[in-house]
Amino acid sequence: MATDTHATPNLSRYFVPAPSAWPFCLTIALILTVYGVSGYLEDRAIPTTALICAGAALGIFIIFSWFRGVAMESEHGMYNEQVSRTYRWGMSWFIFSEVMFFAAFFGALFYARTLSVEWLGGAGEKGFITNSILWPHFDAAWPTNGPGHVGGAFEIVSPWKLPLVNTCLLLTSSVTITMAHHALKAAHRRACILWMLVTIALGATFLYCQATEYMEAYKELNLTLGSGVYGSTFFMLTGFHGLHVTLGTIMMISITGRLLFGHFKPESHFGFEGVAWYWHFVDVVWVGLFIFVYIL
Amino acid sequence: MAHAHDDAHGHDDHAHGPDKGIMRWIKTTNHKDLGTLYLFFSFTMFFIGGLMSLVIRAELFQPGLQFVDPELFNQFTTMHALVMIFGGVMPGFVGLANWMVPMMIGCSDLALPRVNNWGFWLLPFAFTMLLSTFFLPGGAPAGGWTIYPPLVLQTGNSFPLLIFAIHLMGISSITGAINVVVTILNMRAPGMTLLKMPLFVWTWLITAYLLIAVMPVLAGAVTMLLTDKYFGTSFFNAAGGGDPVMFEHIFWFFGHPEVYIMILPAFGIISSIIPTFARKPLFGYASMVYAVASIAFLSFIVWAHHMFTVGIPLAGELFFMFSTMLIAVPTGVKVFNWIATMWKGSMTYETPMLFAIAFVFLFSIGGFSGLSLALAPVDFQYHNTYFVVAHFHYVLVPGAVFSIIAAIYYWIPKWTGRMYNEAAGKWHFWLSSIFINVTFFPQHFLGLAGMPRRIPDYAVQFTDFNMVSTVGAFGFFISQFIFIFNILACCYGWFGRQRNATAQVWEGATGLEWSVPSPAPYHTFEDPPLVGDDGMPVHGNAAAHAH
Ligand code: HEM
Ligand SMILES: [Cu+2]
């Protein structure tokens, strides 16, 4: 708690956290990591691996400790209604920012499909000139790796195999996490934990399938990140999504751990809900991907 | 309740308070400490960015190459803009939000104090990293702050550091913005309804929304640059089916809201200051709120006015031309309201008011030149000339920067308990206002006559105006030392200055922040006050009222 005895806010009204060094250390961890990665990308003579490992390890340790601290504060009843609302709003806006991050990549996909590829193929008055002077043999089509055939000929992943399986997995997991939530609200802790385990298993299976899909794409279909604009949008969109699934799964594992430790009450369990929201968000993004990246 | 503080400490050394020395600042979760850190950081960046601009202006004093080679010149123009925008203006406004939002809505602190600390500390590290690129082989990024591919992809060793620095600034902005939104939505004192909030709070609410919406888009755009350069993607490579112009679209989808991010809080500040010194309530409060909201909305659908000359389809030219001109309507509403507020007011001209009035005039000049640029056929000639440079400097310097200066003069008695020196403030104002016009007004003519931007040399016929502009720039820079001394004297009590500021400070000031003592206590409101219809606390125990 604030050590300021003189003008401490009314704690039944306001939760004021004590000074903390975690945020500062997290910054250090991030800087070490990105400095290492920068050095690696540019082949600079700095100990890149050491920097990256140190940064990542420090970062993971800090995030764990910071969240542990928050969980403890919550369990010790230091949070009031207002704090709970704060976290709700905070999480919602955070998810909104994530939506906008994906929007940038979806925007790139739509732009490429409806504008840049068409123009390269000769659509419109300016496109006509571009096409006839620069790329006379290029016909607009999707998927494409562009008039330069960047990355060589490739085939695409069929949506009706692993991607369909993955769609089912994620949609089911959204149901099971909701079941877990209902169980928690009804004070059925065991059921809640079981449903959470099912959800985690679904998430992990999704990741396994995606890894398999990527491997097939690289080895058998010659579809890579370098396969022109198709490969770029395909792997960046599904890749960032996969990263979010990974993060969501880790978050689910940690709240399941907290459930095992007896955390959360039927009437107040925002940590749980925040993770559930995040998971639904990841699910919705996937539906967008399934439709716009795989099927159409 | 505010009056409980009358016996509270009249000193800000916090002997009983947080950690001592440097650890206090590293670990602090207090909105006032963080606001102070943000403001000092912003000053430092303004100073560094200002020095870079002096190098640029010195080089442009005469035609030919005198001081820096073209490569370094390009690095300076690029870094000047990045430092000023992401290091100066934005953190300056965040610092003001840190200080003032909790005081204005009647709560103890921001909603997420530890996240607040993180958001701040990312910045000094990110900028150290970015500035360190000057010393790498190949130097700092030199492709312009708009980082257009394919040019920017030719950056050397510093490229990934540029990208990651932008990522970190983005995280900082997003966390800061989430904090502000959540605080405003969730922590208002009883009685502080949305339409009673001071305009500074309103404008920041909307700014924060813009930040959360567009900073991730910038993050996406620079990530695509990174993968295009190092991982073989083809987002901006036509041979692979991508398009460099696509980057411009994504960038300006961020970029145009970004310019409003840098001006909306300024609108809020001006809307606080003018009523105080005109001793009249703000004219058209509700229309001000709606105007800001519509500006924010429109700012999402005008981005391609930065791209009239890249060859977008005719329908695009027309759409973006008209949507851009539409922004002038709500902007006009605001300017009208400020003037109507002053109309028949009992005006006095203390330093904050002087800066606020100058803002109204000079920002409007920037708005007019913006309107000229919004006309697509006209922009074909003006684009990439000094006319654009004049435009955005008018909205950013006598706009955003003057508003930050005005805000500091206006609220520093509340922060430190000491009045600044009024005579020095007036000197600072007059010198700044004169020199800023000397610097930027001639650039309109240069641009109209065809002088291109971002080039270290120019044709001899442009010499006279360039010389004038350079003299103005040096004059402006030197004038700011008056400000620095005035402010530091307030902070540290130099020249034997007493803590002489009353709680209300300004005769005509209204709002919760003026109901607490000066300097404001470390935690402003221990209990939320009950806010009356006039926006001031209702006397008595608020908690008792509220329950
Ligand atoms: C009535 C309002 C405004 C209009 C109609 C307007 C219009 C424009 C247009 C059309 C351009 C592109 C010119 C070109 O590159 O050829 C431009 C550039 C710019 N504007 Fe504005 N603007 C307005 C207000 C503002 C405000 C409030 C700010 C910031 C506080 C601002 C900052 C900028 C900047 C930084 C650029 C140049 C970006 C670059 O190319 O580096 N503008 N404006
Ligand atoms: Cu714009």
Side-chain angles (χ1 to χ4, degrees), chain B residues 252 256 259 302 305-306:
Chain B
W252 287 113
H256 190 82
V259 308
V302 299
H305 62 217
H306 295 272

Side-chain angles (χ1 to χ4, degrees), chain A residues 2-24 26-28 30-31 34-35 37-42 44 66 69-70 73 79 81-87 89-91 93-94 96-98 100-101 103-105 107-109 111-112 115-117 119-120 125-126 135 138 144-150 225-233 236 240, chain B residues 5 7-9 14 16-19 23 26-29 106-109 111-115 117-118 121-122 125-126 129 132 136 155-161 164 168 171 174 178 181-182 185-187 209 212-213 216-217 219-221 223-224 226-227 229-235 237-243 245-246 249-250 253 311-314 521-523 525-528 543 546-547:
Chain A
T3 45
D4 184 344
T5 50
H6 208 88
T8 306
N10 179 344
L11 292 179
S12 63
R13 284 233 159 232
Y14 295 119
F15 168 71
V16 179
S20 163
W22 293 132
F24 186 86
L26 187 57
T27 306
I28 307 273
L30 275 174
I31 293 284
V34 299
Y35 209 79
V37 176
S38 310
Y40 167 75
L41 293 174
E42 279 291 324
R44 286 171 55 201
W66 189 346
V70 172
E73 284 168 0
Y79 291 168
E81 245 327 281
Q82 189 170 54
V83 178
S84 159
R85 277 198 312 270
T86 286
Y87 285 153
W89 277 118
M91 191 68 190
W93 286 99
F94 171 67
F96 173 55
S97 78
E98 292 267 46
M100 293 308 292
F101 181 75
F105 289 90
L109 174 69
Y111 184 93
L115 298 173
S116 70
V117 171
W119 287 336
L120 289 168
E125 44 189 309
K126 289 160 192 149
W135 320 103
F138 179 67
T144 180
N145 52 2
H149 303 295
V150 175
L225 189 58
S227 298
V229 75
Y230 183 83
S232 312
T233 48
M236 291 298 276
F240 269 118
Chain B
H5 290 286
D7 61 334
H9 49 176
H14 307 292
H16 48 271
D19 293 270
M23 285 316 276
I26 286 180
K27 291 171 66 179
T28 185
T29 49
C107 62
S108 63
D109 206 308
L112 297 159
R114 283 175 289 218
V115 176
N117 174 306
W118 189 40
W121 277 109
L122 281 168
F125 286 95
M129 203 167 83
S132 74
L136 289 182
T155 310
N157 277 186
S158 61
F159 185 73
L161 291 170
F164 291 135
L168 296 180
I171 299 177
I174 293 170
I178 291 179
V181 173
V182 175
L185 293 178
N186 189 30
M187 309 275 283
Y209 163 73
I212 303 172
V217 175
T223 306
M224 293 180 215
L226 191 80
T227 57
K229 185 161 161 82
Y230 296 106
F231 300 101
T233 58
S234 302
F235 287 107
N237 173 10
D243 186 354
V245 173
M246 175 162 88
H249 281 290
I250 306 176
F253 182 82
I312 52 175
L314 183 63
Y522 197 55
H523 295 287
F525 292 99
E526 300 173 16
D527 273 313
H547 285 301

Side-chain angles (χ1 to χ4, degrees), chain B residues 81 85 145-146 148 251-252 256 258-264 267 305-309 324-325 327-328 331 363 366-375 379-380 382-385 388-389 391-393 395-396 399-400 453-454:
Chain B
I85 292 172
W145 82 278
T146 48
Y148 283 0
F251 180 85
W252 287 113
H256 190 82
E258 167 69 16
V259 308
Y260 281 96
I261 287 163
M262 294 191 286
I263 205 67
L264 294 186
F267 289 171
H305 62 217
H306 295 272
M307 307 165 53
F308 284 144
T309 58
T324 303
M325 289 198 290
I327 294 203
T331 312
F363 173 78
F368 283 131
S369 57
L371 216 46
S372 330
L373 291 167
L375 304 165
D379 185 68
F380 273 52
Y382 296 172
H383 181 65
N384 254 348
T385 68
V388 177
V389 177
H391 157 66
F392 65 74
H393 281 95
V395 282
L396 285 171
R453 62 191 283 214
R454 294 177 175 167

